[in-house]
Every structure is written in structure tokens, then in C-alpha cells.
Amino acid sequence: MADGQDGWGPATAMVHAGTMRSGFGETSEALFLTQGFVYESAEAAEARFRGDEPGFVYSRYANPTVEMFERRMCALEGAEAARATASGMAAVAAALMCQLSAGDHVVAARALFGSCRWIVEKLLPRYGVETTLVDGTDPVAWERAVRPNTKLFFFESPTNPTLEVIDIAHVVSVARSCGARTVIDNVFATPLHQKPIELGVDIVVYSTTKHIDGQGRCLGGVVLGRQDWIDEHLHDFYRHTGPSMSPFNAWVMLKGLETLPLRVARQAGSARAVADFLADHGGVSRVVYPGRPDHPQANIIPRQMSGGSTLVAFDVAGGKKAAFAFENALGIIGISNNLGDAKSLITHPATTTHKNLSDEDRAELSIGGGTLRLSLGLEDTEDLIADLDRALAAAG
């Protein structure tokens, strides 16, 4: 058994950490496609359910393949424990709802993925949880939002879709001063370029659909944190509400992790080159990329990110009409709301991922008619730049 021994680099951990082999000694991780498990006796079943005997009882609770994925993610993230979920949104919903009760208060950054913002603004209040949205880049806003009943801070960094960067250490400090926990969606940074737990964050969530699978195959999510928090808050919620990841999807995620460092390095390198190209193009009015000196939070990025994102946000001059013409003229880059894929993908947030926000809310987040979110894949960087150049010419 390999379990992310101290001293392993991320590439080694992503190939070996968490591996459990059956008696057949297989090289690739085994795929346990089973719903349940057989016990040697009635007494053994009783002991297993009572927790006196280790082992699996039902794949909704835990499964050997899923557990291997969870252990490998812990090795990458530096977390004590994890629970894999059927999707990224299942991870977000579970991480928030498992620890909140009626009368609690949540402070969240306003720059969130559309479905995350729906949970904060619409779902939680239905169950008596008060919520406040703040400008996550304003340190004072977090402090002013605190109430006596504040239990949780929730945010993304970098944010979807405009790649704002939030000062993680500051948010953690404010949360700890009032006894609240912090939950971060770390998808845009990837677990390779940002380590929230090292910065003091309590719970980290991912849509593993993105970079971790990263090849457009299946959905998944994961929640990571301390073992005592998982045991006290997430364990029963996960067991009884059933957001668990399928064994097949966990096996796909394990295979994705083996190449994650290679893919992210290539994608982030292309993203930086593309951002520089777009910044020098007359048809583009704004470019946002973590690592460029003109990023709005350039002073914060070196303190918490070891590399840039695989995504670039930019505005095409000419608004929605020009943005649509640009997208339609692309030959290599696909139009899709997914990201972190081996294929380069682009989306128009105002009409897709953030379409349910009001015009005022989108303007507050700097999402305009010309705003586009580009996720860089594994194609040759020169081909991607040529594709963008042709499309910008076609958009006028």
C-alpha cells in the first residue's frame, strides 16, 4: 500500500498515493463496481455496522475505489480526510448544508459560480439560514459583515469567471476572530497552484469534473478537511442524503490524477502566453490573468499562488454582438461552459454560467456583454493564438 509518504512530490503522489491492491496484485487501481458487500457471518455484519470491525458495508457510504481517490486527493491537498461526491455542486451543497442550522449566518463573496450563488441566495434562506454577499476583494467588507450568529465564510479564489483573487489569509483571520469556519472553492487555482489548508482554510471543495478528470469524461466533486470535522458534520449528512461518487467515476478520476501535474503545467503556460497576446491586441479591451502585473490583485497573488490559472478572462471590444461573432469564428476552441479540459473551451458568462443574475449584479461583477472566459487545453499554443487572432479579425 502506498499512502502519500512524506517527502513525495505531487507528481509521485498522484501516481501512487492511496493505492490499495487486491490479492491479484494489479498494477492499475481496481474498479469495484458493487453496491454492497458480503459478510462472513451475521455477527460480522453486526460488528461492521456497529463500527467495531473495519470494512465496507454499502457503496453509498464508502467503496474501495472511491476511497483510493479520496486518499489520493488528501495526499495532494494536504488534508486529513475527504468525501468524494457525484458532482462539484454536490460537494458545495454538502460542505455548506452539513454544518448549518436555522438561525445561522453565512458571509459569502459575491463573485461565485451561478449555481453556488443560487445556493447562498436562494436555498439556504429557505431553511432559515441568513446570508450576506460581500465584495470579496475588499478586506473591510468581510469584517463589516460579521454578526453574532455568523458561522461560515464561503468564497472562490480565483473567482469564476473574472479571475479576481481574494486574500485567503485575511478571510481566514476574520473568520477565526468570530469563531466561523471557512469554505473555499479552489477549482480555478487547482490544488497544484494553491494550498488553502496551508493558509488556514477549514474546508476545500472541488468540482473534479474540471482539471482532475480534465478530459471531458464524467462528473465528480470532493470535500476535504480535518478528520474531526468530517466525522462530526459531513459523515452522517453524506451517508444519509446520498451525494456519493460512483466507483466508475472515482476510477476515472484516479486515472486523471496521474497526469494532472503535466496537464496543468501545459495549460497554465498556454494561458499566460494567450493572456499576453490578448493584452496586446487592439480588439480586446480588458484581460485578467493571475500572474500578469496588471492583475487587480497582483500584490496578493505571490503570497498564496505558486502558479497562474489555466483560464483567462477578457472583454472583446464591441459587446455581446462582437463576442458572439468572435466565438462563432473560432475553429479550434470549442464553445462550452466546461473548463479545465484537455480541449480549449470558451464561454460567454452573461448568457450561460451567470445568466440568472440581474444586469446590475453582473455589472457589479464586471461581467459585460463582451466578457468571455477562456479555458486553455493541451493544443499547441501557437495554434490557439492563431485561432484567436483569426476570430478577433472576423469579429471586427
Side-chain angles (χ1 to χ4, degrees), residues 8-11 13-14 72-79 155 157-158 166 168-169 172 176 182 184-206 212 224 257 260-261 264 301-307:
W8 278 359
M14 291 309 91
R72 193 165 293 179
M73 283 300 305
C74 285
L76 176 60
E77 192 66 39
F155 61 104
S157 185
I166 293 172
I168 296 174
V172 167
R176 286 181 174 174
T182 46
I184 187 172
D185 181 337
N186 199 43
V187 166
F188 272 39
T190 80
L192 294 167
H193 288 171
Q194 188 164 267
K195 300 292 187 182
I197 288 176
E198 293 180 4
L199 294 166
V201 172
D202 297 299
I203 301 107
V204 183
V205 297
Y206 290 98
I212 292 165
L224 302 108
L257 282 173
L260 179 67
V264 168
I301 293 167
R303 301 204 302 263
Q304 60 190 45
M305 293 182 71
S306 61

Side-chain angles (χ1 to χ4, degrees), residues 165-305:
V165 171
I166 293 172
D167 189 337
I168 296 174
H170 177 75
V171 175
V172 167
S173 175
V174 176
R176 286 181 174 174
S177 71
C178 66
R181 295 188 187 91
T182 46
V183 179
I184 187 172
D185 181 337
N186 199 43
V187 166
F188 272 39
T190 80
L192 294 167
H193 288 171
Q194 188 164 267
K195 300 292 187 182
I197 288 176
E198 293 180 4
L199 294 166
V201 172
D202 297 299
I203 301 107
V204 183
V205 297
Y206 290 98
S207 169
T208 65
T209 310
K210 310 305 189 289
H211 302 91
I212 292 165
D213 170 26
Q215 293 162 78
R217 297 171 295 195
C218 59
L219 300 173
V222 68
V223 183
L224 302 108
R226 295 188 308 275
Q227 185 69 60
D228 61 351
W229 178 83
I230 296 256
D231 292 344
E232 181 180 355
H233 296 282
L234 184 58
H235 177 77
D236 285 343
F237 182 95
Y238 183 91
R239 179 171 180 146
H240 297 299
T241 62
S244 50
M245 178 181 283
S246 78
F248 178 80
N249 285 18
W251 184 83
V252 173
M253 298 298 169
L254 282 164
K255 297 294 98 184
L257 282 173
E258 291 180 350
T259 61
L260 179 67
L262 298 172
R263 289 185 284 107
V264 168
R266 174 63 177 267
Q267 291 165 320
S270 288
R272 176 58 187 260
V274 164
D276 291 343
F277 161 76
L278 292 171
D280 291 335
H281 198 288
V284 175
S285 58
R286 178 182 66 143
V287 174
V288 185
Y289 182 72
R292 279 184 56 85
D294 57 0
H295 188 283
Q297 292 85 41
N299 61 319
I300 297 172
I301 293 167
R303 301 204 302 263
Q304 60 190 45
M305 293 182 71

Side-chain angles (χ1 to χ4, degrees), residues 22-371:
S22 73
F24 294 109
E26 61 278 351
T27 301
S28 179
E29 294 81 6
L31 172 54
F32 291 93
L33 285 177
T34 183
Q35 300 154 321
F37 302 84
V38 175
Y39 315 100
E40 292 183 358
S41 66
E43 290 79 10
E46 180 185 35
R48 192 84 56 87
F49 270 82
R50 212 167 41 210
D52 296 337
E53 179 183 288
F56 300 94
V57 298
Y58 196 59
S59 280
R60 174 160 55 85
Y61 307 163
N63 171 279
T65 309
V66 177
E67 184 175 302
M68 280 191 276
F69 172 64
E70 292 168 345
R71 291 169 65 175
R72 193 165 293 179
M73 283 300 305
C74 285
L76 176 60
E77 192 66 39
E80 293 179 357
R83 290 292 183 272
T85 61
S87 70
M89 286 314 305
V92 170
L96 298 182
M97 297 190 73
C98 77
Q99 58 183 324
L100 293 170
S101 302
D104 290 343
H105 175 237
V106 174
V107 182
R110 67 190 184 191
L112 294 170
F113 173 57
S115 294
C116 294
R117 187 153 165 166
W118 182 87
I119 287 178
V120 171
E121 289 191 289
K122 305 295 183 182
L123 184 62
L124 293 180
R126 292 180 187 176
Y127 297 95
V129 176
E130 301 171 357
T131 63
T132 301
L133 290 173
V134 300
D135 177 357
T137 64
D138 180 358
V140 177
W142 293 97
E143 300 163 11
R144 289 175 176 166
V146 172
R147 301 176 186 174
N149 58 335
T150 300
K151 294 296 194 303
L152 201 66
F153 284 29
F154 175 49
F155 61 104
E156 305 168 359
S157 185
T159 63
N160 186 356
T162 55
L163 296 161
E164 291 179 349
V165 171
I166 293 172
D167 189 337
I168 296 174
H170 177 75
V171 175
V172 167
S173 175
V174 176
R176 286 181 174 174
S177 71
C178 66
R181 295 188 187 91
T182 46
V183 179
I184 187 172
D185 181 337
N186 199 43
V187 166
F188 272 39
T190 80
L192 294 167
H193 288 171
Q194 188 164 267
K195 300 292 187 182
I197 288 176
E198 293 180 4
L199 294 166
V201 172
D202 297 299
I203 301 107
V204 183
V205 297
Y206 290 98
S207 169
T208 65
T209 310
K210 310 305 189 289
H211 302 91
I212 292 165
D213 170 26
Q215 293 162 78
R217 297 171 295 195
C218 59
L219 300 173
V222 68
V223 183
L224 302 108
R226 295 188 308 275
Q227 185 69 60
D228 61 351
W229 178 83
I230 296 256
D231 292 344
E232 181 180 355
H233 296 282
L234 184 58
H235 177 77
D236 285 343
F237 182 95
Y238 183 91
R239 179 171 180 146
H240 297 299
T241 62
S244 50
M245 178 181 283
S246 78
F248 178 80
N249 285 18
W251 184 83
V252 173
M253 298 298 169
L254 282 164
K255 297 294 98 184
L257 282 173
E258 291 180 350
T259 61
L260 179 67
L262 298 172
R263 289 185 284 107
V264 168
R266 174 63 177 267
Q267 291 165 320
S270 288
R272 176 58 187 260
V274 164
D276 291 343
F277 161 76
L278 292 171
D280 291 335
H281 198 288
V284 175
S285 58
R286 178 182 66 143
V287 174
V288 185
Y289 182 72
R292 279 184 56 85
D294 57 0
H295 188 283
Q297 292 85 41
N299 61 319
I300 297 172
I301 293 167
R303 301 204 302 263
Q304 60 190 45
M305 293 182 71
S306 61
S309 179
T310 66
L311 295 105
V312 179
F314 63 100
D315 284 4
V316 174
K320 177 183 173 181
K321 182 178 179 180
F324 273 30
F326 169 79
E327 285 187 294
N328 292 336
L330 291 166
I332 297 173
I333 300 166
I335 301 172
S336 174
N337 51 291
N338 196 22
L339 61 93
D341 197 275
K343 300 174 178 67
S344 292
L345 303 171
I346 196 163
T347 194
H348 185 255
T351 55
T352 59
T353 58
H354 292 72
K355 72 177 182 61
N356 291 327
L357 298 183
S358 67
D359 292 342
E360 293 76 15
D361 285 339
R362 282 196 296 270
E364 195 175 50
L365 298 174
S366 299
I367 302 172
T371 303

